[in-house]
Amino acid sequence: MSVPLFDTASPLAPLRDELRDAILRVVDSGAFVLGPEVQAFEHELASFVGASEAVGVGNGTDALTIALRAMGVGPGDDVVVPSFTFYASAEAIPPTGARPVFCDVDPETFCVTPETVRAALTAKSKAVIVVHLFGNVAPVAEIEALGVPVLEDAAQALGSNGPEGRPGSIGTAATFSFFPSKNLGGFGDGGAITTSDPELADRARRLRFHGSRDKITFEEVGYNSRLDAIQAAVLRVQLPHLDRWSDGRRAAADHYRRAGLGELVSLPRASPGAEPAWHLYVVRTPEPESLAAALQAQGIGARCYYRVATHQQPAMREFAPDRQLPGTELAARTNLAIPISPVLDEEQAHEVVDAARSHLAARPLAVGTFRN
Ligand SMILES: Cc1ncc(COP(=O)(O)O)c(C=O)c1O
């Protein structure tokens, strides 16, 4: 039995007719970009996360750039961002004119901490991008208490719950991606910004449409980055199922635990009080590549993420810090994502754990959980 790294098709199969009807509704309406379908989705998304406003945009990367600009970030500013994340978290900063300043992560949660952020703050820090990586929930309120506004990069954390609320409602603003493999995935690119600051939302709405409110006066240089109505319609069909799917992701993590995975590798640690909707289930092991190859040979999806951390990417060289980022380097060197989905069942979890166990039994030095 093969176990894919992601399974986006199975949860959608029972919704096939509803999805088709939603797409045809948009086709019949003739309103393809923004419009009532997007407005309805924005309303539903804002209420799902617990924010008062949502602004649909073209993708999660544009969402970050537009949100930063709506927060007032511009030339001469610094923005703190973790290095252990998808590259787009940092890539979104230079287009605002600001400079990314890389901070470290806790390799057990894969998220930034108040200490790692504090170490990267400068006199010019205008914002901190806090990434809820792999669906875990970073301590946003503690970080915002350092005195710099937080933009949550919640691209991987829609459906997670944190002690301070849902990602999307905790910081000054938050961003989401609806890339097809995400917890809530469209049938193409899409993204959104959420906030409870109406002025920030208003500026983001203007920026997503060329810096104009009315197509007549263009008040500032903006972007053409709008959510398509077909994506909004497809996302509206799925959103009511997201809590159940997130429960399924958490149940899959429990299946792994009960099958004994924690005796073989280090399991990801949920942040205190968090209920992550694991977008990726990322364990740590001293030799992740050999375990990945062994799992793949059995038809089991496995992949090391962000092996070259963002601050070491060629395009980010000019922003690379002088300091070492030991948590980032450890996470980059030892992580391995194994299959997770809303429908991963006990039998599949056992299959993954048994395959890992038989590979690691032959390599005793590679077995084991480790603390840092
Ligand atoms: C943490 C993180 N930030 C930002 C993005 C960018 O989103 P998009 O691919 O929709 O531009 C992604 C998506 O892959 C992501 O995982």
Side-chain angles (χ1 to χ4, degrees), residues 201-286:
D202 186 52
R203 186 157 182 221
R205 282 199 183 92
R206 196 172 67 195
L207 284 166
R208 79 176 163 182
F209 185 75
H210 306 287
S212 174
R213 286 171 213 279
D214 56 7
K215 260 193 195 177
I216 298 166
T217 306
F218 296 86
E219 297 169 53
E220 60 184 331
V221 173
Y223 308 86
N224 176 7
S225 184
R226 302 165 297 199
L227 188 61
D228 288 342
I230 283 181
Q231 301 308 338
V234 159
L235 295 168
R236 289 184 70 201
V237 171
Q238 296 179 57
L239 189 59
H241 301 276
L242 187 59
D243 276 332
R244 183 169 51 83
W245 291 342
S246 301
D247 286 343
R249 290 175 181 276
R250 287 186 275 271
D254 284 341
H255 294 324
Y256 279 135
R257 250 192 307 275
R258 279 200 294 273
L261 185 62
E263 297 149 23
L264 306 172
V265 296
S266 291
L267 303 181
R269 202 189 68 207
S271 308
E275 296 172 338
W278 298 111
H279 170 59
L280 290 166
Y281 197 71
V282 180
V283 301
R284 286 189 304 126
T285 180

Side-chain angles (χ1 to χ4, degrees), residues 161-187:
N161 299 312
E164 303 144 351
R166 285 189 147 157
S169 68
I170 320 169
T172 296
T175 60
F176 293 95
S177 163
F178 306 118
F179 185 78
S181 62
K182 293 290 192 272
N183 290 2
L184 184 76
F187 293 171

